[in-house]
Amino acid sequence: MLTAQNKKLLRKMGQSLRPLFQIGKEGLSYNLIRSLDDSLEAHELVKCTLLKTSPIDVREAAIECSSQTHSEIVHIVGRTFLLYRRSKENKLGLKK
């Protein structure tokens, strides 16, 4: 579980990130979840956006992606959400 201080730091880091994933009219597919899982292991912090054609809303997508990848939702703004999962190497160096 992330502390408030860690969430604040991650939100700050996430502002400069470009979205790695766009969720469109196909919604959440198995391949998208698998790619998201791999990206979380590689980067720890991943930004996703929902296109206007997406059949689900941003909160549903964030919760579903978070539960499928065992990650935590850091922030949801507009059609964008930020996910975090600590990798084996702990690349961002966050303390537990």
Side-chain angles (χ1 to χ4, degrees), residues 37-45 69-70 84-96:
D37 194 48
D38 293 341
S39 293
L40 281 164
E41 186 59 38
H43 303 288
E44 289 188 351
L45 190 63
T69 60
H70 307 290
Y84 170 78
R85 186 180 73 199
R86 181 186 221 131
S87 69
K88 293 177 180 101
E89 294 94 33
N90 192 13
K91 295 174 184 170
L92 298 178
L94 290 184
K95 297 177 183 172
K96 286 188 177 181

Side-chain angles (χ1 to χ4, degrees), residues 54-71:
S54 178
I56 58 176
D57 76 325
V58 67
R59 194 164 298 283
E60 284 178 52
I63 291 169
E64 187 63 29
C65 288
S66 173
S67 66
Q68 293 287 327
T69 60
H70 307 290
S71 59

Side-chain angles (χ1 to χ4, degrees), residues 27-85:
L28 298 174
S29 65
Y30 173 75
N31 288 333
L32 177 90
I33 298 294
R34 197 173 70 202
S35 297
L36 184 58
D37 194 48
D38 293 341
S39 293
L40 281 164
E41 186 59 38
H43 303 288
E44 289 188 351
L45 190 63
V46 175
K47 192 180 220 180
C48 304
T49 59
L50 259 75
L51 301 177
K52 290 182 180 180
T53 58
S54 178
I56 58 176
D57 76 325
V58 67
R59 194 164 298 283
E60 284 178 52
I63 291 169
E64 187 63 29
C65 288
S66 173
S67 66
Q68 293 287 327
T69 60
H70 307 290
S71 59
E72 292 189 52
I73 300 169
V74 176
H75 198 54
I76 299 174
V77 173
R79 299 183 146 280
T80 304
F81 61 93
L82 198 59
L83 296 176
Y84 170 78
R85 186 180 73 199

